[in-house]
Amino acid sequence: MNKKLIKEQAKVQYQNDKLADQKRKAEIKTMNQSDAALAKAETKQARKSAKVARKQELKDMKIDDRKAAKYFDKKYKKQKTKMRRYISWGALALLCLMVFSKISPILSEVGEIANSTYTDNTPEADAARAASKIVAEQITDEGLVLLKNQDDVLPLTGEKKLNVFGFGAMNYKMGGGGSGASNLDQAVSLHDGLVDAGIAVNPELNQFYEDNSDLVTASSSSIWIQMLDGILGKEEVSEPESIDYLTEDVLTQAKEYSDTALIVVTAMSSEASDATVESLQISDGERELVEMVSNEFENVIILVNSGYAMDLSFVDEYDSIKSVLWIGNPGAYGATSIGKTLTGEVNPSGRLNDTYVYDISSIPAVQNIGDYDYQNLEGISRLDYEEGIYVGYRYYETLYDGDESGYKSAVQYPFGYGLSYSSFDQKITSSKIEGGNVNLSIQVTNTGKVAGKEVVQVYFNPPYIDGGIEKSATELAQFAKTDVLEPGQSQTVNISFPIKDMSSWDMKDAQAYVLDEGDYEIVVGQNAHDSFDSFTWTNKQKVIYPTDEVTGASYHNLFDYANGDLTYLSRADFAGTFPSGDDVELTAPQDVVDAFNAQPTEIAGIEAVTGQDNGLVLADLEGLAFDDPKWDQFLDQFTIEEMIGLISYGGYHTREIERLGVPRTELLDGPAGWNKMFGASPNAASYPTELLLASTWNSQLAYDFGDAIGLEGKVYGIDMWYAPAMNIHRSPIGGRNFEYFSEDPVISGEMAAGMINGAQEHDVMVTIKHFALNEQEVNARSGLIIWANEQAMRELYLRPFEISVKESDPTGAMSSFINIGPVWAGANDELLNKLLREEWGFDGIVSTDAQLGSWMDPVKAVLVGNELMLSIFKGSSNETMLTEAYQEMPVAMSNGLRDRTHTIMYNIVNHSNAVERNNQEIEKTNDDVEEKNQEIE
């Protein structure tokens, strides 16, 4: 293909067509009004017909001719849009010049954010990365989920010859976009992962795809590129329009090579965007490919490469689809585990942590997810959690309780589902209700022929009282994973959980957790629907839990103002209360408008002491209790300006205050590996996404993950980790589901706690996020009010954070973009103080998410309990706002700034390596100076 000649031909053709178009327009101008309208319509129709004809013409061409023709069309289109592009870029350049004077202060902030140094090129850093790679591979070994394996097609045996079809295999998605992305510089391709495992991949077919890779444009995982493409109207192509490229010769050669074929199906989204029902179905091109390959090959293997619960109904439509393996987004080294799993070197032991249904549009939360702008709150939208507690398996297991045929027609793969190359049996050998706990001993036996691990899942089925507290028919109570069991080998797994965990939040009467009287069935499940064994415990008297079991804080409703006066989905009438997005009220009541726009006022009291010289530096406070009197002496030394600067610039670092021995700290993203969205990221290891980690159902691996990334952070010089992320998969639509664990709060909280405990072993602070109700990306960054009831909030959306706070004592939390009712999470007294600090006992730093909107008010944050502003281009405006607020409210602001500074300092000195690292740097500088002076002498 002579690209230069084709490019010139396209240019000439465009000029000719342009002249013809101009001539036609001139002719139309001379016509009367009716004839002109008719001529314009005919011209428009002719263009449509030409497009259809061109598409058919391309389909009829041979592969080489089609490639040349598509290249011609691409260059023709570039000529056609050239002027528009020039105008667009010219306008953008002019706009940049116009606003340069206004954004110049921001440039220094960008430099401050981007200016980070990492010690990622030392022997210690190399060793930490190597250790992390091992852990990452262990996670993918245990996290892949076998969904189907008819006729035992897997593991591959004999010559292990495989045809790999589709461009998806060449461009499979290792991770997500945005803050949950990871370093893929050392990534293992799917092809190499298969070959390294001893699989003979059809070389001719593979070469055919490589030679024709120009038929597909790989989409970018960068959130910034995706957003820019959206602004410029660029349409990303992730696959060819059809499969005509697969000629009869190609298929003949492939069938002669092997009767087994593999196809990768993909669904992709990212931070700042959500999926759709349509995008979670296989595309038209994928459907054509699946159909052709299924018709031509006896054994077809599907790899589900998605961080979202896709519509996999097509799997049941083709008899030749024998095996389905969910691989999620397995990180840079995941292909190695995929290869080992296909060959049987690894026996798959992962389990789904989402419910896979045949019709995604049947999910209650899907009915009103999306874009609902208030008409009287500029730039603010609403989202109604009308489904209440009935999220994921809680809805389907309850709706179809006692209706097996209905369940089977709705649910394809239950929550907790997964197959093995072996088989297992589980039975309860001991069950005791004592000391406020349910204590179980479960004997797990490998009854198959292959060694492997098994997941133990314990659920409870509570009694439901008509008209009483809403309850799911079943809920996950706790889980565990066995060691590797040889055929015939057994292991006893002990599981314990508090009886209180089976209670429900009563919003109406008790305003506390209530354990109704009645029968509670404790189930050892294969998944949320199928069981191995069970027993029944009868609670003879209703129990009300009035206080928190850890802190002793009294319970009561905290979020009645966020209820939104909605009709919530109820078990008493599922059909009559099913959500609808068609009747959303878009005029906010005046009290909501007033509450949303409310401004803080001065308080009575004494202004905080500032600017003293008490001879203390931060290192002098190490190990002292938070309320030790010496803290007052140290805090008295800060000036108002220093505290404002510390809080205002909390994006990816905190500022150094040299005279007080306060070091600069480095704060980075990285639920799947250390990375930085602004500035250079460290050379760090890549991990699977949190979704795949959760699919291991192995809390020890979560700890190992945290331990490995914490070690990396320590040796790189990073002090705080913006992770783990633990929002709930409210529906499969959520754009960051790949970055979150599950639709279930227990597995989310336990996995997060493991990660936190591991990372904090190395004095790396963690930031549990996004606190809270950040289950949608659309409008989240422009001001989104969530209306939800307290039961759903406490039992689902807040529960993972509660588990992690109580089991791992995290040193940080990230308040979300979200407004809970009319109150922003970062300035929400009920959320940050009454719940997080008082009820749960949290004493760490609260940081905002990226500060992108005016509703993320630094003044309100300081006064309520949010320590750091994750300032993205807003540090200087934060300083201005906080300074002006101090001048207007000196008592409230000085004391608020002091409280926020106290929390920041306490955690930096006690839970990070920053002070020690700073002292080492000072000592090294002093040694260098002394050595230089000696040389001069």
Side-chain angles (χ1 to χ4, degrees), residues 782-840:
S782 57
L784 183 62
I785 290 178
I786 301 293
W787 299 108
N789 69 41
E790 183 133 358
Q791 183 186 6
M793 290 173 65
R794 284 184 176 268
E795 292 185 16
L796 294 180
Y797 303 106
L798 298 172
R799 181 66 173 146
F801 296 96
E802 180 182 10
I803 292 171
S804 66
V805 168
K806 292 178 177 179
E807 294 188 4
S808 60
D809 192 21
T811 46
M814 180 181 288
S815 57
S816 69
F817 293 115
I818 298 305
N819 299 284
I820 300 174
V823 187
W824 170 45
N828 191 306
D829 182 54
E830 290 77 22
L831 183 73
L832 300 185
N833 295 321
K834 293 182 173 60
L835 183 77
L836 181 64
R837 291 191 165 102
E838 295 172 20
E839 191 175 303
W840 296 350

Side-chain angles (χ1 to χ4, degrees), residues 172-308:
Y172 96 111
K173 311 300 180 185
M174 303 176 195
S179 67
S182 62
N183 177 18
L184 301 178
D185 290 346
Q186 304 299 318
V188 179
S189 70
L190 181 59
H191 175 270
D192 288 350
L194 300 180
V195 172
D196 291 346
I199 298 172
V201 177
N202 186 341
E204 290 189 34
L205 183 60
N206 184 68
Q207 188 63 49
F208 170 82
Y209 276 105
E210 288 185 359
D211 291 343
N212 292 282
S213 59
D214 61 330
L215 291 177
V216 61
T217 302
S219 59
S220 172
S221 63
S222 166
I223 181 177
W224 305 113
I225 293 176
Q226 288 179 358
M227 293 172 73
L228 179 61
D229 288 342
I231 293 170
L232 298 177
K234 177 180 175 183
E235 296 181 3
E236 288 194 344
V237 180
S238 60
E239 59 174 313
E241 292 184 1
S242 70
I243 55 164
D244 293 337
Y245 65 88
L246 283 176
T247 64
E248 189 62 37
D249 290 343
V250 173
L251 289 171
T252 299
Q253 187 277 330
K255 285 188 285 188
E256 291 174 352
Y257 185 80
S258 173
D259 64 356
T260 304
L262 181 146
I263 302 172
V264 177
V265 297
T266 303
M268 181 71 179
S269 191
S270 175
E271 181 175 348
S273 64
D274 288 315
T276 64
V277 172
E278 292 73 24
S279 69
L280 295 180
Q281 300 167 341
I282 59 171
S283 65
D284 292 342
E286 286 175 326
R287 166 72 73 169
E288 288 186 39
L289 181 63
V290 167
E291 184 162 347
M292 172 179 279
V293 173
S294 296
N295 289 336
E296 297 287 345
F297 291 85
E298 182 179 344
N299 302 309
V300 178
I301 302 166
I302 301 291
L303 297 187
V304 182
N305 179 205
S306 172
Y308 309 87

Side-chain angles (χ1 to χ4, degrees), residues 119 153 673 783 855:
T119 53
V153 166
W855 78 95

Side-chain angles (χ1 to χ4, degrees), residues 34 39 41 56 75 79 208 254 309 328 586 609 615 677 700 737 923 933:
S34 60
Q56 184 60 47
K75 295 303 175 184
Q79 287 291 324
F208 170 82
L586 297 180
V609 176
M677 290 178 66
Q700 181 61 47
N737 279 5
E923 185 177 343
N933 288 337

